[in-house]
Amino acid sequence: MAGLDLEVARGEVVALLGPNGAGKTTTLMALAGALTPSEGTVTWQGEPTTAPLHRRARQGLGVVLEERAVTPSLTVRQNLRIGGVDPQSALADFPELTEHLDRRAGLLSGGQQQLLTLARVLARRPVALLADELSLGLAPQVVARLLGALRAAADEGLAVLLVEQHVRAALRVADRAVVLSRGRVRWSGPAAEARADPALVEQGYLA
């Protein structure tokens, strides 16, 4: 990464876009504390930090990766509880999981597993959320549900940094967009501008 200056405020969704190999996931992992940046500074709630992922998580950082973080042999209820979440709190945000509470998570569809993953994170009421390819391999209606939940959480004050392969879907819920290519920012600006002029994003993919 070179010259990346990225800030996400509470109450907004920032879409981090770009082709494969652009550096999107590396950026998320550095911000999460799973990777150590070779240079530069990561700031968390106004203070520079080098804390590892588990410590940032205790301080209010939520992370959802493309690999669904469920324990297949446990029920939905048990998955929520081992995540330190009151099931009723999670169901308030994702009522469609109610009928599956006592079903093993491994028997759920991919979309339902991702809903469970996101429900477990959001129910802990984090300060900020890093989401990497939530929609990978999922049907459009599930993608819309997941991204809509992120938008609703941001409207309640959550800061969201979203890496997403479905560019149009991401731009519909984002406030701002940052387009990376080969580790560099190719375009950054309001998501509304990118929606109105798709070429602004496309040039980053072609760089």
Side-chain angles (χ1 to χ4, degrees), residues 9-161:
R10 298 198 67 167
E12 73 170 349
V13 177
V14 176
L16 189 60
L17 308 172
N20 290 337
K24 305 183 300 295
T25 296
T26 299
T27 298
L28 252 63
M29 292 298 94
L31 294 175
L35 292 177
T36 301
S38 57
E39 59 182 48
T41 302
V42 174
T43 301
W44 168 246
Q45 300 193 75
E47 297 293 334
T49 182
T50 57
L53 174 56
H54 69 273
R55 189 174 302 164
R56 295 184 203 188
R58 287 200 299 266
Q59 295 170 346
L61 179 64
V63 180
V64 179
L65 304 177
E66 62 180 71
E67 192 172 314
R68 288 151 205 151
V70 301
T71 303
S73 61
L74 299 182
T75 66
V76 169
R77 189 191 308 272
Q78 290 167 333
N79 268 275
L80 292 170
R81 285 179 172 164
I82 64 171
V85 169
D86 175 8
Q88 294 309 311
S89 177
L91 295 178
D93 293 328
F94 295 90
E96 58 265 58
L97 291 174
T98 302
E99 62 184 292
H100 303 293
L101 267 180
D102 296 309
R103 189 179 185 191
R104 290 204 309 274
L107 298 178
L108 300 179
S109 68
Q112 290 167 336
Q113 289 184 26
Q114 195 68 304
L115 285 173
L116 173 56
T117 299
L118 187 58
R120 189 165 63 182
V121 173
L122 292 181
R124 299 181 70 175
R125 299 298 182 253
V127 174
L129 176 67
L130 306 176
D132 188 16
E133 301 288 10
L134 276 180
S135 69
L136 195 64
L138 301 181
Q141 63 267 31
V142 179
V143 175
R145 176 68 177 99
L146 290 165
L147 297 185
L150 289 185
R151 179 67 261 175
D155 289 341
E156 295 181 359
L158 181 68
V160 179
L161 181 60

